[in-house]
Amino acid sequence: DSGSLDQVARILNRGLSPSDIAHLLESTPPKERSILWRLVDKDLEGEILQYLSDEVRTDFLSKLNPQELVSITEDFETDDLADVLQQLPEKVIQEVLDSMDSQDRHRIEAVLSYAEDTAGGLMNTDTITIRPDISIDVVLRYLRRHRSLPDMTDKLIVVNRKDEFIGTLPITTMLVASPSSTVREVMNTDAVTISVNTPDTEVANLFERRDLVSAPVLSSEGRLLGRVTIDDVVDVIRDDADHSLMSMAGLDEDDDTFTPIIKTAKRRAVWLGINLITAFIASAVIGLFEATIEKVVALAVLMPIVASMGGIAGSQALTLVIRSMAVGQISRNNLGWLLNREFIVGIINGTLWALVVAGAAIVWFNDLMIGVIIALALMINLIVAAVAGTMLPVILRARDIDPALAGGVILTTITDVVGFLSFLGLATIVYA
Amino acid sequence: DSGSLDQVARILNRGLSPSDIAHLLESTPPKERSILWRLVDKDLEGEILQYLSDEVRTDFLSKLNPQELVSITEDFETDDLADVLQQLPEKVIQEVLDSMDSQDRHRIEAVLSYAEDTAGGLMNTDTITIRPDISIDVVLRYLRRHRSLPDMTDKLIVVNRKDEFIGTLPITTMLVASPSSTVREVMNTDAVTISVNTPDTEVANLFERRDLVSAPVLSSEGRLLGRVTIDDVVDVIRDDADHSLMSMAGLDEDDDTFTPIIKTAKRRAVWLGINLITAFIASAVIGLFEATIEKVVALAVLMPIVASMGGIAGSQALTLVIRSMAVGQISRNNLGWLLNREFIVGIINGTLWALVVAGAAIVWFNDLMIGVIIALALMINLIVAAVAGTMLPVILRARDIDPALAGGVILTTITDVVGFLSFLGLATIVYA
């Protein structure tokens, strides 16, 4: 009844922060989610939207008309607004832009002109800039004229008359400096800067390695365009890390956990279809050896062991290389070492488990030859798996194919085919 | 020759930041790594160590004697020193502690007394505290008496005489406040605080949701103990996200990419052994139906399709739930909805792909019955996979077992067993 809904609304709007409400919405199935959303105070909606993941946000926004869109996104930071707009139809973007005052529109158009996954798409234009020749005392008085400073302001940016970057003045430096010294005397001219076209994953690595809170973004001519802040970088880090995990299962890191049934079924069906092709290829390979299997049924019993052990060994190498590539540890210089190590590890573990499996197979089927065959097949497959798992991500990346998405499927195809082919092939030579 | 080594040393020590050197070391195979490490300037070693991942750092530290350890870790922040010490033998820890002055020793012992994966283990003790009754002008003069302020100082912490937390004074607030107003008038009494025993993943979620740069850590009595900063939280976020990815392949997120051959082979062998058990269970199930396979060899050709499609469908549900649990989206309230959706998606995709596979099987083997059998088996396995993939992480977590590590192995066992059992079992009923 409406009485208890009122109560829920009160708890929601007074008891929780906008980010908590966003988290609650994301943790709620579709029907309850739209009820909750309707209970949210109108003036909180804008801030909540900024904390929502792409899919959930787009879903809410798609139900608004352009006027509502404009009023709800009024207080958005430039980068968040650009993100939102990029997910809307071209016509709606234009209507929203038209309704803004010209200064805001120019700022947002500037950010929109950069790809979403670059420093340009990630940056805010809320920089506080100062000139090098004024004193710290003047800077302090200048800051005091502001009603508030942007969040995550850990440094002021020093520019010349042409807006060209000269250096940064970290707030912590400013606070311990003598008020009479000039900005030029205490500023950091060695500060980390980011070029506007830098990919966002590189920006994230830079922030992680240099422990940054914010960094200025420069045009190719060295002019200050904006700044990237750690809160947005944290989202990139989380998304990047999630990307590998989710892609390896054919999922998207932006997906809503509570996507409705039909939409979920459609997305999953595609992935199952791709993997079905792999499964049919494996079956076709087995089909080549029907006659041998008919003679020695034990082969059918043991063959999944060869394929699955290859899959496991390969996916260890694959996952390691995908992760190492994501943090920028793999290069032409060390790939040879890595390949060599994986190859030798493949031989060692191939031999070890070949002996174990062979022993078990001989005892189980009381047949020495089947032990020899499975041992050889297992060694072949584990070595091929190690090499394939190591090289696949490198090869795929060079062809601009996402290794996390395609690597697993291709690797499984290889280890299945090589596993069945070597095991059943050797068996055919021996038993036929 | 030593001439070119000198050149490398010069580039290393003058051209790269300590974090870049750390990254370079992590991206280098063992032998070259120790050569590089010997070329590093002694006075850079300490800072470089702070940026290294656990395994690489422990490796370097294990080669030092306690005196060297003390001198190298002199300038470490409290939390980093605690991290390092926790990885060393008890005897060495004591020697290092004994060599410190008593104030430093007390600080480090305080951090060491908290578990590494809690706010206490993550915090630094370098807080700048102020009293509520002084004016902003006095605060500014007080700060100017420092030679430098700690990194990531975005707020000062307001405490009373007993060191009890009262509020925070964000630097950005202080800079726009009138110099004559008191701290009490402008401070934030509603600031986010962290209890010392909060798990580090919860701290990370809090930082992410509230866009924090630092947050005070309080004892259960409300006394200020230290502060957590975003640079350390970013490491937690990265590790947490990596953990799921790496664990699902039986790898450890702390592992060195360039671990030597023997150590790698040993670690991988364990994971292969565990998965071999799964493979043998699947084989044992197939073994039950040897007679049926002997009669209809087509079953051996098609059976991997049933098992692998189940594995793929299950791992999609599993990965989704593991990720959602990690970001705190799964609770008793929404698990039912999720299970219901996965169940229905299982039915939909089970039916869809059952029809496709059945059609292909009928054409391939010119046998209507085999189509019916594989269709039924595929539906059963995809539905079981959906339910198992959804419930497994929840059940494992309730028993304090890591779902990312154990989930995949258990799920594969289930989908293999159910896949082979349903397909070959139905076939036995029909053909026997």
Side-chain angles (χ1 to χ4, degrees):
Chain A
D1 58 304
S2 76
S4 67
L5 273 188
D6 281 354
Q7 218 171 336
V8 172
R10 215 165 319 131
I11 296 171
L12 203 63
N13 294 307
R14 309 229 181 118
L16 295 176
S17 73
S19 56
D20 288 337
I21 299 177
H23 181 69
L24 182 67
L25 287 166
E26 285 183 351
S27 308
T28 310
K31 214 180 281 174
E32 290 85 344
R33 186 185 285 167
S34 22
I35 296 175
L36 280 179
W37 181 239
R38 263 179 275 132
L39 295 177
V40 165
D41 274 355
K42 279 278 166 271
D43 47 332
L44 285 179
E45 283 180 355
E47 208 179 334
I48 293 169
L49 280 175
Q50 296 180 57
Y51 288 103
L52 287 174
S53 66
D54 283 0
E55 185 170 329
V56 179
R57 181 166 59 194
T58 310
D59 195 43
F60 283 143
L61 290 174
S62 64
K63 289 168 189 150
L64 301 176
N65 61 44
Q67 279 68 42
E68 289 173 313
L69 257 179
V70 172
S71 83
I72 213 173
T73 54
E74 235 169 23
D75 304 323
F76 272 37
E77 293 185 358
T78 335
D79 62 331
D80 288 327
L81 182 53
D83 275 359
V84 166
L85 288 181
Q86 266 155 350
Q87 290 163 37
L88 298 174
E90 193 61 44
K91 205 178 135 260
V92 180
I93 297 182
Q94 210 42 60
E95 281 192 65
V96 173
L97 286 178
D98 287 346
S99 71
M100 299 172 83
D101 68 40
S102 79
Q103 197 198 345
D104 282 349
R105 187 169 60 240
H106 282 127
R107 286 219 306 227
I108 194 77
E109 279 172 344
V111 176
L112 274 176
S113 70
Y114 304 108
E116 205 184 343
D117 57 352
T118 63
L122 207 62
M123 73 183 179
N124 273 312
T125 49
D126 59 357
T127 49
I128 296 196
T129 57
I130 50 176
R131 294 286 156 77
D133 299 317
I134 58 177
S135 71
I136 297 298
D137 192 43
V138 172
V139 175
L140 285 170
R141 274 187 281 136
Y142 165 68
L143 292 178
R144 227 167 268 142
R145 294 219 309 264
H146 291 73
R147 219 160 41 88
S148 70
L149 300 180
D151 285 342
M152 312 263 158
T153 299
D154 68 320
K155 51 176 70 93
L156 310 176
I157 304 176
V158 189
V159 294
N160 64 17
R161 259 160 234 285
K162 291 190 223 148
D163 238 10
E164 285 163 349
F165 175 83
I166 300 178
T168 64
L169 178 62
I171 300 276
T172 49
T173 303
M174 178 183 78
L175 289 173
V176 297
S178 147
S180 59
S181 50
T182 66
V183 169
R184 192 184 295 282
E185 285 164 8
V186 294
M187 72 180 182
N188 178 9
T189 53
D190 203 32
V192 177
T193 62
I194 297 171
S195 152
V196 69
N197 291 316
T198 311
D200 58 0
T201 50
E202 253 178 64
V203 173
N205 284 338
L206 201 62
F207 267 70
E208 251 188 286
R209 253 183 258 161
R210 297 295 184 92
D211 292 345
L212 301 174
V213 171
S214 77
V217 177
L218 308 185
S219 73
S220 51
E221 298 87 32
R223 195 162 305 151
L224 179 70
L225 296 173
R227 61 178 193 131
V228 171
T229 52
I230 183 73
D231 51 330
D232 296 318
V233 171
V234 163
D235 293 341
V236 173
I237 292 174
R238 170 76 79 180
D239 278 358
D240 272 3
D242 275 354
H243 174 78
S244 304
L245 174 71
M246 300 295 270
S247 295
M248 285 183 95
L251 301 167
D252 190 317
E253 70 274 12
D254 285 331
D255 278 2
D256 175 6
T257 305
F258 298 93
T259 305
I261 292 171
I262 299 301
K263 215 167 168 183
T264 306
K266 270 189 201 160
R267 288 182 186 167
R268 301 275 180 90
V270 176
W271 190 244
L272 285 167
I274 293 169
N275 280 277
L276 183 59
I277 298 171
T278 296
F280 266 120
I281 294 173
S283 286
V285 173
I286 301 172
L288 299 175
F289 302 99
E290 273 189 67
T292 315
I293 295 172
E294 204 156 14
K295 233 187 255 172
V296 189
V297 189
L299 296 175
V301 177
L302 293 174
M303 68 185 186
I305 295 178
V306 182
S308 87
M309 290 291 276
I312 296 292
S315 86
Q316 289 207 302
L318 182 80
T319 305
L320 185 78
V321 174
I322 287 177
R323 209 278 298 251
S324 306
M325 283 197 335
V327 292
Q329 284 182 354
I330 306 279
S331 68
R332 213 176 268 259
N333 297 327
N334 54 30
L335 186 63
W337 187 91
L338 214 58
L339 190 62
N340 181 59
R341 182 193 64 186
E342 293 297 329
F343 181 72
I344 299 178
V345 169
I347 294 177
I348 295 175
N349 278 328
T351 312
L352 169 70
W353 292 113
L355 291 174
V356 173
V357 173
I362 293 171
V363 172
W364 190 352
F365 294 101
N366 196 19
D367 177 353
L368 183 66
M369 259 344 270
I370 211 164
V372 175
I373 294 168
I374 201 167
L376 282 173
L378 210 54
M379 284 192 64
I380 293 171
N381 207 21
L382 256 66
I383 294 169
V384 170
V387 174
T390 310
M391 291 309 296
L392 256 180
V394 181
I395 295 167
L396 290 172
R397 176 104 87 132
R399 287 162 196 272
D400 265 333
I401 302 169
D402 179 6
L405 190 64
V409 181
I410 300 177
L411 180 71
T412 307
T413 311
I414 294 174
T415 53
D416 276 3
V417 168
V418 172
F420 292 133
L421 204 59
S422 58
F423 182 57
L424 298 176
L426 286 169
T428 304
I429 297 170
V430 171
Y431 293 110
Chain B
D1 60 305
S2 76
S4 66
L5 273 187
D6 280 353
Q7 218 170 337
V8 172
R10 213 164 322 131
I11 296 169
L12 204 65
N13 294 308
R14 311 230 179 117
L16 295 175
S17 73
S19 56
D20 287 338
I21 299 177
H23 181 68
L24 183 67
L25 288 167
E26 285 182 351
S27 307
T28 310
K31 213 180 283 177
E32 290 84 344
R33 186 185 285 166
S34 23
I35 296 175
L36 281 179
W37 180 238
R38 260 180 275 133
L39 294 178
V40 165
D41 273 354
K42 280 277 165 272
D43 46 333
L44 285 178
E45 284 182 352
E47 208 178 335
I48 293 169
L49 280 175
Q50 296 178 58
Y51 288 102
L52 287 173
S53 66
D54 283 1
E55 185 170 327
V56 180
R57 180 165 58 193
T58 310
D59 195 42
F60 284 145
L61 290 175
S62 65
K63 288 168 192 151
L64 301 177
N65 61 44
Q67 278 69 41
E68 289 173 313
L69 257 178
V70 172
S71 83
I72 214 172
T73 55
E74 233 167 26
D75 303 324
F76 273 35
E77 291 185 359
T78 334
D79 62 331
D80 287 327
L81 183 53
D83 275 359
V84 166
L85 289 181
Q86 268 156 349
Q87 290 164 37
L88 298 174
E90 192 62 44
K91 202 176 136 265
V92 181
I93 298 182
Q94 209 43 58
E95 280 190 66
V96 173
L97 287 178
D98 287 347
S99 70
M100 300 172 81
D101 69 42
S102 79
Q103 199 197 346
D104 281 351
R105 188 168 59 237
H106 281 126
R107 286 217 309 226
I108 193 78
E109 279 173 342
V111 176
L112 274 176
S113 70
Y114 304 109
E116 205 183 345
D117 58 351
T118 64
L122 208 61
M123 73 183 179
N124 272 313
T125 49
D126 59 357
T127 51
I128 297 196
T129 58
I130 49 174
R131 295 286 155 76
D133 299 318
I134 59 175
S135 70
I136 297 298
D137 193 43
V138 172
V139 174
L140 285 171
R141 275 188 280 133
Y142 166 69
L143 292 177
R144 227 167 269 142
R145 293 219 308 263
H146 291 71
R147 220 159 42 91
S148 70
L149 299 179
D151 285 342
M152 312 264 158
T153 299
D154 68 321
K155 51 174 74 89
L156 310 175
I157 304 176
V158 189
V159 293
N160 65 17
R161 259 160 232 285
K162 289 190 225 148
D163 238 13
E164 285 162 351
F165 175 83
I166 299 177
T168 64
L169 178 62
I171 300 276
T172 49
T173 304
M174 179 183 77
L175 289 173
V176 299
S178 147
S180 60
S181 51
T182 65
V183 169
R184 191 184 297 282
E185 285 165 8
V186 294
M187 71 180 181
N188 178 8
T189 53
D190 204 30
V192 176
T193 62
I194 297 172
S195 151
V196 70
N197 291 315
T198 311
D200 58 359
T201 50
E202 254 178 62
V203 173
N205 283 337
L206 201 63
F207 267 70
E208 251 188 289
R209 254 183 255 160
R210 297 297 183 90
D211 291 344
L212 301 175
V213 171
S214 76
V217 177
L218 308 185
S219 72
S220 52
E221 298 87 31
R223 193 162 306 152
L224 179 70
L225 296 175
R227 63 179 191 131
V228 171
T229 52
I230 183 73
D231 52 329
D232 296 319
V233 171
V234 163
D235 293 340
V236 173
I237 292 173
R238 172 74 79 179
D239 277 357
D240 273 2
D242 275 354
H243 174 79
S244 304
L245 174 72
M246 300 295 271
S247 296
M248 285 182 95
L251 301 167
D252 189 315
E253 70 273 13
D254 285 332
D255 278 1
D256 174 8
T257 305
F258 297 94
T259 304
I261 293 172
I262 299 300
K263 216 166 167 183
T264 307
K266 271 189 199 162
R267 288 180 187 168
R268 302 274 180 90
V270 175
W271 189 242
L272 285 166
I274 293 169
N275 280 278
L276 183 60
I277 298 171
T278 296
F280 266 119
I281 294 174
S283 286
V285 173
I286 301 171
L288 298 175
F289 302 99
E290 272 188 68
T292 315
I293 295 171
E294 204 156 15
K295 232 187 255 172
V296 189
V297 188
L299 297 175
V301 176
L302 293 174
M303 66 185 188
I305 295 178
V306 182
S308 88
M309 289 291 274
I312 296 292
S315 86
Q316 289 208 305
L318 183 79
T319 305
L320 185 78
V321 174
I322 286 177
R323 209 277 296 252
S324 306
M325 285 199 332
V327 292
Q329 283 182 355
I330 306 278
S331 67
R332 213 176 269 260
N333 298 326
N334 54 30
L335 186 64
W337 187 91
L338 214 58
L339 190 62
N340 180 59
R341 183 193 64 187
E342 294 298 328
F343 181 73
I344 299 177
V345 168
I347 294 176
I348 296 174
N349 278 329
T351 312
L352 170 69
W353 291 113
L355 292 174
V356 173
V357 173
I362 292 169
V363 172
W364 190 351
F365 294 99
N366 196 20
D367 176 354
L368 182 67
M369 260 343 272
I370 212 163
V372 176
I373 293 168
I374 202 168
L376 284 173
L378 210 54
M379 286 191 64
I380 293 171
N381 207 22
L382 256 66
I383 294 168
V384 170
V387 174
T390 311
M391 291 309 297
L392 255 180
V394 180
I395 294 169
L396 289 174
R397 176 104 87 133
R399 287 163 195 270
D400 266 334
I401 302 169
D402 179 9
L405 190 65
V409 180
I410 300 177
L411 180 71
T412 307
T413 310
I414 294 174
T415 52
D416 276 2
V417 168
V418 172
F420 292 133
L421 203 61
S422 59
F423 182 56
L424 298 176
L426 286 169
T428 304
I429 296 169
V430 171
Y431 294 109

